[in-house]
Amino acid sequence: MSKEHEYDISIGKDQWIVFGDLNNEQENAVEIDSFMEALVPMWKALETQCVSECCGIDAYDLWKEDVLKNTAEFDHAELAKMLKLLHDRIDGLKQEVLVSTMLNNYFAKTTFLQLIEHLLNVYKNA
């Protein structure tokens, strides 16, 4: 991985979600785990590169083909519905910094929304 994308989220060969600036607002971050309870099995299935406790979002394999392979046992249409609900809920937040203990990461809201949009596109176009 190049230094250019050292902190970005890999979603495919030469495809990245740029990790947005948190502007030192971590202490004001809103916890989002309660919004994702229905998606825990999906996140666990995608946690193949390491464990989130160690590597945060980098523990998750988010390339399209791997997302589909690792979640093949799930109803992708149902995952898309749950992701859309999550997207809408996150989009409606006033806070610009999010935190997930489950994913072991802070996110700029725009970064997390892009991640959800990526997963939505994977499942919608499967």
Side-chain angles (χ1 to χ4, degrees):
M1 172 171 40
S2 72
K3 278 280 207 202
E4 178 185 0
H5 294 291
E6 183 177 4
Y7 299 107
D8 297 336
I9 301 169
S10 179
I11 59 169
K13 184 174 173 32
D14 300 320
Q15 295 179 312
W16 305 90
I17 295 173
V18 175
F19 203 87
D21 190 354
L22 300 176
N23 297 315
N24 294 316
E25 289 292 320
Q26 290 91 324
E27 68 183 43
N28 298 318
V30 63
E31 171 68 55
I32 60 171
D33 285 351
S34 65
F35 302 164
M36 297 192 295
E37 288 176 2
L39 290 164
V40 169
M42 178 202 75
W43 288 114
K44 287 295 181 193
L46 297 176
E47 191 178 18
T48 63
Q49 300 299 306
C50 191
V51 293
S52 61
E53 293 86 357
C54 175
C55 293
I57 196 64
D58 293 332
Y60 297 86
D61 195 348
L62 301 168
W63 289 27
K64 178 182 179 175
E65 54 278 358
D66 295 320
V67 167
L68 293 173
K69 177 183 73 173
N70 292 324
T71 61
E73 67 186 62
F74 300 110
D75 180 338
H76 290 167
E78 187 61 30
L79 287 176
K81 285 181 194 175
M82 289 187 284
L83 285 163
K84 176 68 172 122
L85 290 171
L86 175 61
H87 183 280
D88 292 348
R89 192 147 188 210
I90 297 295
D91 195 34
L93 293 172
K94 291 180 183 174
Q95 294 91 337
E96 294 299 322
V97 177
L98 315 172
V99 63
S100 170
T101 302
M102 178 180 62
L103 303 178
N104 190 27
N105 239 104
Y106 285 91
F107 298 93
K109 183 166 95 170
T110 55
T111 300
F112 194 73
L113 288 172
Q114 288 176 46
L115 174 58
I116 298 307
E117 289 164 6
H118 163 68
L119 292 170
L120 271 167
N121 286 331
V122 167
Y123 292 128
K124 285 181 178 178
N125 297 317

